[in-house]
Amino acid sequence: MTPLDQINDLKARMAQSIIGQTQVIDRLLIGLLANGNLLIEGLPGLAKTRAVKAMARNLDAEFSRIQFTPDLLPSDVTGTEVYTQTDAGGTFRFEPGPIFANIVLADEINRAPAKVQAALLEAMEERQVTVSGTTHKMEPLFIVMATQNPIEQEGTYPLPEAQMDRFLMHVQITYPPVEDEVLVIRLVRGEDTAANSGTTAEKPSPIPQDAVFAARQEIGQIHVSDAMDRYMADLVQATRTPSALSDDLAAWIEIGASPRASLALDKCGRAHAWMNGRDYVDPADIRAIAHDVFRHRVTLSFEAQGDAKTADDVIDEILKLVALP
């Protein structure tokens, strides 16, 4: 099987346990292929955790879940030095924390205090952890998928904008349509019945990690024209100088996107094109992932909030006003 066949197989397996969230599955795979970390936001019960678990279960990768709480310490995430007594005498041994896995689910990241968030985000950015002066490298396949609940803000520690910028994409999960909810009921009922009867279906062998690395190599060869490079730069520039496009945008945007947004558009656009079987990037690829890339990088003004404008509304306006290549 080609790398694309293997990734499509992974996508099909995830879709069997995640009903009505096709776009979310695509974004998780794009984050995996683009070697970036994701922030997943949605109301309780919309399968945020289930989606990440479905990916880890069908991929030959070590999975770790960290349930963030206000009393969590940085060492609970990164690991710590443990004193061990041996026949030769006492020695300190590093005990790795749950961050040392291939796929890390940081559940409700906004419930942990700032020091814990900083420790996690440092590991995400540097791909290493330093404890007691010793640096410990992460595995070659390493991705953090952090979730947060948008409705409960009491007792939480919202991520600062500068730290939000480190996430490749901000993925939002919405309610499924009623037809898909019927399928969800039947799926969970079948899982409960199988669990109660003690019958387990034979699981196919997991997708090897080499498929992800081979896919990343092919994505690196995807052609991006000069016109597409300029289009991505124009989109990012539009968030910084909105007055050049319209007075409404100028009133709605307080702070524009950083150069990380341009890099994210490039990485995610190439991954999106590759997953759709093309060896080049076209405007449709950039427009498909623009909302996920910009959503957490564009800071809205009080006037936009007063006008009941969301980040997606502002991004829609930008995509409408910036000329296509």
Side-chain angles (χ1 to χ4, degrees):
M1 296 176 68
T2 66
L4 181 57
D5 292 335
Q6 290 176 304
I7 296 301
N8 283 333
D9 186 18
L10 175 60
K11 179 180 178 179
R13 296 187 195 183
M14 293 175 63
Q16 290 177 358
S17 59
I18 308 297
I19 305 297
Q21 300 290 1
T22 304
Q23 183 171 340
V24 174
I25 295 174
D26 284 340
R27 297 305 180 264
L28 295 184
L29 291 174
I30 288 175
L32 179 69
L33 297 175
N35 196 21
N37 305 291
L38 303 184
L39 179 63
I40 307 170
E41 185 175 37
L43 297 171
L46 294 185
K48 300 185 296 295
T49 301
R50 185 182 177 97
V52 179
K53 283 186 173 180
M55 170 181 285
R57 184 172 61 250
N58 291 288
L59 192 63
D60 184 17
E62 183 179 351
F63 172 72
S64 177
R65 175 179 177 176
I66 308 172
Q67 185 66 50
F68 280 66
T69 57
D71 61 346
L72 206 66
L73 298 175
S75 58
D76 295 331
V77 174
T78 61
T80 186
E81 295 280 346
V82 178
Y83 182 78
T84 305
Q85 186 69 39
T86 63
D87 295 337
T91 182
F92 283 95
R93 173 177 54 86
F94 177 67
E95 188 68 28
I99 192 67
F100 287 91
N102 301 121
I103 299 177
V104 179
L105 172 59
D107 217 355
E108 296 193 87
I109 187 175
N110 57 334
R111 292 202 175 276
K115 284 186 177 180
V116 179
Q117 294 176 0
L120 175 69
L121 293 168
E122 180 184 4
M124 290 164 42
E125 186 78 9
E126 306 297 333
R127 303 300 173 101
Q128 65 183 28
V129 168
T130 302
V131 178
S132 299
T134 303
T135 299
H136 306 274
K137 296 286 188 180
M138 302 298 182
E139 293 292 328
L141 178 62
F142 174 72
I143 179 173
V144 173
M145 298 186 178
T147 70
Q148 68 177 12
N149 182 343
I151 60 172
E152 293 182 2
Q153 302 301 327
E154 185 175 352
T156 63
Y157 304 82
L159 288 171
E161 284 78 3
Q163 294 185 357
M164 292 271 285
D165 196 28
R166 299 188 186 186
F167 288 98
L168 182 73
M169 290 190 292
H170 179 188
V171 182
Q172 285 189 341
I173 301 182
T174 58
Y175 288 121
V178 64
E179 295 83 3
D180 289 335
E181 191 134 6
V182 172
L183 298 178
V184 170
I185 295 172
R186 294 171 181 169
L187 172 66
V188 175
R189 180 192 300 150
E191 292 176 346
D192 291 343
T193 301
N196 293 331
S197 63
T199 59
T200 56
E202 184 178 353
K203 296 181 180 179
S205 57
I207 306 297
Q209 292 187 23
D210 289 343
V212 177
F213 297 133
R216 288 176 179 176
Q217 288 184 344
E218 293 187 2
I219 290 171
Q221 304 302 315
I222 295 292
H223 175 68
V224 185
S225 67
D226 293 342
M228 290 307 305
D229 285 341
R230 182 55 188 260
Y231 181 56
M232 290 185 283
D234 285 343
L235 288 175
V236 176
Q237 186 65 24
T239 68
R240 302 170 187 165
T241 57
S243 58
L245 295 178
S246 76
D247 293 337
D248 286 338
L249 278 179
W252 292 338
I253 298 178
E254 182 175 346
I255 303 174
S258 75
R260 283 191 179 127
S262 303
L263 301 177
L265 285 176
D266 177 52
K267 291 179 180 179
C268 297
R270 284 186 283 119
H272 188 274
W274 181 84
M275 288 180 62
N276 285 275
R278 283 181 279 102
D279 61 356
Y280 62 92
V281 175
D282 67 14
D285 296 312
I286 304 303
R287 296 171 71 87
I289 49 87
H291 290 80
D292 303 283
V293 169
F294 284 135
R295 189 174 286 133
H296 58 304
R297 292 186 167 97
V298 175
T299 303
L300 302 186
S301 65
F302 286 112
E303 185 170 345
Q305 298 174 32
D307 292 341
K309 295 296 180 181
T310 65
D312 285 352
D313 294 331
V314 174
I315 297 165
D316 285 338
E317 190 71 13
I318 291 174
L319 291 176
K320 183 175 72 175
L321 295 177
V322 174
L324 289 168

